[in-house]
Amino acid sequence: MTKKSGFALILLMILTVGIIWFGMDHQKTQKAKLLRTNETTAMSSDKAANNKTSNKAQKDDLAAQQEKFENNREQLSVSDYLAYLSAKEEKAVVSFYGDFSESETWLSVVEKYITKQINSDIEVHQLAFPDYDSYRLLEENTVTAVAETKPDVVFFQVPVYGDQVRDISLADSGEYVAEDYAAIKQALPEALVVLVTPNPSSSRQGEFNSRTLDYTSYLAQAVKVAEENEFPLFDLHAAFQSEMESQEQDLSAVLKEDGRALNDQGTDLYASLFTEQLTEPIDTTSGR
């Protein structure tokens, strides 16, 4: 064999070994890449499966809560009702409506409590018609302002002081309160409407109109209408008086000089009684 042939043979052997090594290395690289691809695919599949399981669990949990809620509508509180709606609709809307002033600070206390209690997206509106009577609310079609807020819950502060001033008969007063409630339900058939009685007044009690009636007569008539028609009711007036009697305090300790508006102490008490009512069992079947 010549030197030239030997050199060519050696070169051919080196080239052959290189091709074999390169092929083996490429095979290892492709295998590793395939393994990584399979691992990534498996992880993605596991993640998708976990997400699907999680979503199913959330839906099952919501369905269970919904079933539990629907089976106990007569025993749950307004707070429970709002929490359920906010979870289902991702938002709940509350409107305060009737004979109150926007300057009354108990409103902001109750609003903050509701927002904190529900721990969700809560929208609160105040539709104040201070010193209106039950007929004027109907006459001026004030319910349209409430309807525009599209509330899930309406707290209707009954206008007993206005009825006293207007000198309405008790029978008419009761009828107008029922019509006020009906007007809200007609405009908002799915809303839960809760009647709320005002705080006691020392100046208006015993201040009789031409019918020899003071505001407590109209208050009793409104409560009677609510009970007879099974309207949801927060009788805060009665709860307020009961608390004052248990503390052996006079109304002058919780009212401003006008004998009707609440001072700071009275505001704290009224707001506290309101928030307590929010957690008490009540029939919510008249809502959605």
Side-chain angles (χ1 to χ4, degrees):
M1 179 184 296
T2 65
K3 286 184 178 181
K4 187 175 181 180
S5 299
F7 179 76
L9 181 60
I10 293 172
L11 185 62
L12 182 61
M13 289 177 65
I14 292 172
L15 183 61
T16 302
V17 171
I19 291 171
I20 294 172
W21 179 84
F22 178 78
M24 291 175 65
D25 184 66
H26 179 70
Q27 185 179 16
K28 289 180 180 179
T29 301
Q30 290 298 104
K31 185 177 181 180
K33 183 184 291 186
L34 182 61
L35 287 173
R36 285 196 299 271
T37 301
N38 290 339
E39 184 178 344
T40 301
T41 302
M43 290 176 64
S44 298
S45 298
D46 290 342
K47 185 176 181 180
N50 289 336
N51 288 339
K52 186 176 181 180
T53 301
S54 177
N55 290 337
K56 185 178 184 302
Q58 290 177 358
K59 290 181 179 178
D60 289 344
D61 183 53
L62 182 59
Q65 290 180 12
Q66 182 174 354
E67 183 179 2
K68 182 180 179 181
F69 174 82
E70 292 297 342
N71 291 336
N72 294 277
R73 290 288 299 274
E74 296 182 1
Q75 301 174 12
L76 298 181
S77 68
V78 175
S79 287
D80 294 327
Y81 182 74
L82 287 170
Y84 169 76
L85 289 180
S86 63
K88 183 180 179 182
E89 308 294 340
E90 298 184 351
K91 186 175 80 169
V93 182
V94 174
S95 291
F96 292 89
Y97 164 65
D99 181 19
F100 61 86
S101 170
E102 289 181 342
S103 63
E104 295 180 31
T105 53
W106 64 264
L107 285 160
S108 60
V109 176
V110 174
E111 179 178 342
K112 288 178 183 177
Y113 175 85
I114 292 174
T115 303
K116 183 178 180 180
Q117 183 81 4
I118 306 306
N119 194 28
S120 186
D121 188 5
I122 298 291
E123 185 179 308
V124 180
H125 299 273
Q126 298 177 10
L127 293 310
F129 294 90
D131 299 321
Y132 272 54
D133 55 76
S134 57
Y135 179 74
R136 187 180 176 189
L137 290 175
L138 295 169
E139 186 180 35
E140 297 186 12
N141 197 25
T142 56
V143 74
T144 56
V146 185
E148 289 175 358
T149 64
K150 299 179 181 178
D152 298 298
V153 175
V154 178
F155 292 111
F156 173 36
Q157 189 103 357
V158 290
V160 296
Y161 296 120
D163 283 12
Q164 173 191 359
V165 173
R166 184 151 182 165
D167 214 351
I168 301 174
S169 71
L170 279 183
D172 285 344
S173 176
E175 183 178 337
Y176 295 149
V177 169
E179 288 180 13
D180 286 327
Y181 178 91
I184 301 171
K185 289 297 291 183
Q186 183 176 1
L188 300 161
E190 292 189 339
L192 174 66
V193 182
V194 181
L195 273 63
V196 182
T197 57
N199 62 273
S201 166
S202 60
S203 63
R204 294 292 180 87
Q205 188 169 0
E207 185 179 306
F208 300 105
N209 57 21
S210 69
R211 300 176 187 274
T212 321
L213 301 171
D214 69 1
Y215 87 87
T216 59
S217 302
Y218 294 97
L219 174 74
Q221 184 73 354
V223 171
K224 179 182 177 182
V225 167
E227 291 175 345
E228 289 180 347
N229 291 279
E230 298 184 344
F231 297 156
L233 172 68
F234 285 1
D235 192 357
L236 301 186
H237 186 280
F240 197 104
Q241 281 192 319
S242 177
E243 188 66 23
M244 295 300 296
E245 290 172 3
S246 68
Q247 296 178 10
E248 297 183 349
Q249 279 191 318
D250 188 76
L251 284 176
S252 60
V254 293
L255 299 176
K256 293 182 179 180
E257 291 183 1
D258 65 0
R260 178 183 172 186
L262 296 166
N263 61 20
D264 290 343
Q265 183 179 342
T267 294
D268 290 342
L269 177 57
Y270 192 79
S272 175
L273 294 171
F274 202 119
T275 54
E276 284 179 13
Q277 285 292 308
L278 288 171
T279 60
E280 291 294 323
I282 193 171
D283 187 354
T284 64
T285 55
S286 57
R288 69 169 66 185

